[in-house]
Amino acid sequence: MEEKVPSPLVNTKPHLEKLTLGITRILEASPGVTKVQIIEKEPAERHMIASWELKNDCAMPEDLKNFYLMTNGFHMVWSVKLDDQPVPLGSLVINSISNLTQLTQSAVYTLPNSPTLEDLEDEEDEANEDRPEKPHFDARSVIFELDSCNGNGKVCLVYRRTSPVAKESKIWFLDRALYWHFLTDNFTSYYRLLITHMGLPQWQYAFTNYGVSPQAKQWFNMYKPITYNTAVLAEESDCFINKLDPSKVFKSKAKPAAPSQRGGTPHPPGSQKGSSSSSSTKPSSGNPARK
C-alpha cells in the first residue's frame, strides 16, 4: 500500500527526520501542540515518473523527481489542545504522483454553453523584472495541483508551453478568486517555505497583496514561522494582539456611601439647607437705580 497509518513521531525515524528537516521536534516543544503525525508513503518507482512525463508531455523537475524517489507524496498534520480536545491546525501536503493531476475544468456537469476557465482569462500581462509572466488557463500553460490548501486555494506546478515537451516550471498559488500569485522558481524553495511555515492555515496568503486573514494572524502570532516576511506581522500588529487585562475589565465599581440619617432628612444636591442662609444671600427687592 502507498500510505500507512499515521503514527505520532515519538521515536522519529531517520528518514522522516531528514524529510521534515527537524520541524517535528520544534512543534512538539511548542506550547499546546499535540498529535504531530506523518502519513508515511513508500518511495515512487522510476517508471511511475516516466509514465507521468509521457502522459502529460512535461519533463518533471529534477528536485521534484528526487523528492518522489524518496517519498511518493507528503502529508504531515498537527493539532492544538483546546478545552482538553485536540483541534487540527497545521497541514503540510504534497500530492502523490497519481494525484499530481492537470488543473482543468471537469466536464461531468458542464453545459454546452457554460463558461470555462479560459473565459476567465485576464489579457493584461502583469509580467515584470521581479515577477514572471502569470499562468494561463488556456494552451499557453500546463498546470498541475501540488496542494489543495484545505479549500483555501491551490498550490500549482506551472509549465510554460514553449515546446512539444514542457520543461520550464515554477510554483504559483491560485487563490479562491482565481488570481495568481508567484511563490518560488523551483520545488526545493517551495518545500522549504512549506516546512518553515509549519503548514499554518492560509500561510500562502502571506505572499499575496492582501495577506492572511485576522484569524490566521492570531495563529501566526502564537506559532510564528521559523522564517517569514516580517511585514506580515509587523503591519498593524496592535490590531490582532489581545491586550485584554481581566483585572481592569472586570473590576467592580465601588458603591457610593449611603448618606447619614442623624442630621435629619438629607437634602438633594444643590438645595439650600436652611432659610437663614437663603435669606442672607437673597438680593434686596426694589429698583437698584433708586439707591
Side-chain angles (χ1 to χ4, degrees):
M1 294 180 66
E2 181 182 343
E3 298 183 357
K4 296 182 179 180
V5 178
S7 57
L9 300 179
V10 179
N11 296 320
T12 307
K13 299 179 181 180
H15 71 282
L16 293 181
E17 184 75 8
K18 181 180 179 180
L19 183 64
T20 60
L21 305 180
I23 191 65
T24 54
R25 290 176 294 164
I26 298 177
L27 285 172
E28 290 172 345
S30 301
V33 174
T34 182
K35 290 190 174 181
V36 182
Q37 299 175 330
I38 288 183
I39 298 177
E40 295 187 51
K41 299 174 182 287
E42 297 293 336
E45 299 180 2
R46 292 188 177 274
H47 72 84
M48 299 172 63
I49 298 176
S51 298
W52 183 91
E53 292 179 322
L54 183 63
K55 175 183 177 181
N56 296 287
D57 293 328
C58 296
M60 184 176 291
E62 286 298 322
D63 53 358
L64 181 58
K65 187 182 301 184
N66 293 333
F67 174 82
Y68 281 130
L69 291 176
M70 181 184 299
T71 173
N72 189 6
F74 179 62
H75 190 187
M76 175 179 174
V77 294
W78 55 278
S79 305
V80 294
K81 184 175 292 187
L82 296 176
D83 296 332
D84 295 330
Q85 296 294 330
V87 176
L89 182 63
S91 178
L92 299 84
V93 175
I94 300 293
N95 285 340
S96 62
I97 294 180
S98 60
N99 291 326
L100 189 63
T101 54
Q102 190 169 347
L103 185 63
T104 56
Q105 183 165 321
S106 175
V108 177
Y109 301 104
T110 301
L111 298 176
N113 297 325
S114 62
T116 64
L117 291 176
E118 297 180 10
D119 297 327
L120 303 175
E121 281 290 339
D122 185 5
E123 295 301 331
E124 295 183 2
D125 189 4
E126 300 177 356
N128 52 43
E129 296 180 356
D130 299 329
R131 181 174 54 184
E133 180 184 357
K134 69 180 181 63
H136 299 278
F137 292 113
D138 53 22
R140 288 174 287 180
S141 302
V142 188
I143 306 169
F144 301 92
E145 180 182 319
L146 281 172
D147 181 12
S148 62
C149 305
N150 290 328
N152 293 314
K154 293 181 184 297
V155 173
C156 300
L157 176 69
V158 180
Y159 289 85
R160 291 185 59 191
R161 182 70 78 179
T162 56
S163 62
V165 178
K167 297 181 180 180
E168 180 184 354
S169 64
K170 299 182 184 298
I171 308 296
W172 288 74
F173 175 62
L174 179 65
D175 65 21
R176 295 185 63 181
L178 300 182
Y179 286 102
W180 290 102
H181 308 276
F182 176 72
L183 291 180
T184 63
D185 288 317
N186 51 68
F187 174 77
T188 301
S189 299
Y190 169 73
Y191 186 75
R192 289 173 179 169
L193 284 181
L194 176 65
I195 293 295
T196 55
H197 283 81
M198 302 183 292
L200 287 166
Q202 305 175 17
W203 71 265
Q204 297 87 357
Y205 282 89
F207 297 87
T208 65
N209 294 331
Y210 30 83
V212 297
S213 67
Q215 181 181 5
K217 281 186 178 181
Q218 292 281 3
W219 292 119
F220 268 62
N221 186 56
M222 183 173 297
Y223 302 104
K224 292 182 180 180
I226 299 174
T227 178
Y228 58 88
N229 185 359
T230 54
V232 174
L233 296 181
E235 182 180 359
E236 299 179 356
S237 59
D238 292 339
C239 296
F240 63 93
I241 297 179
N242 191 351
K243 295 185 177 180
L244 177 65
D245 188 352
S247 62
K248 294 182 179 180
V249 174
F250 300 105
K251 184 178 181 181
S252 60
K253 296 182 179 180
K255 295 183 180 180
S260 176
Q261 300 294 332
R262 295 181 180 180
T265 304
H267 297 277
S271 64
Q272 302 296 334
K273 298 183 179 180
S275 58
S276 59
S277 60
S278 61
S279 60
S280 61
T281 57
K282 185 177 181 181
S284 59
S285 60
N287 190 350
R290 293 179 181 180
K291 296 182 178 178

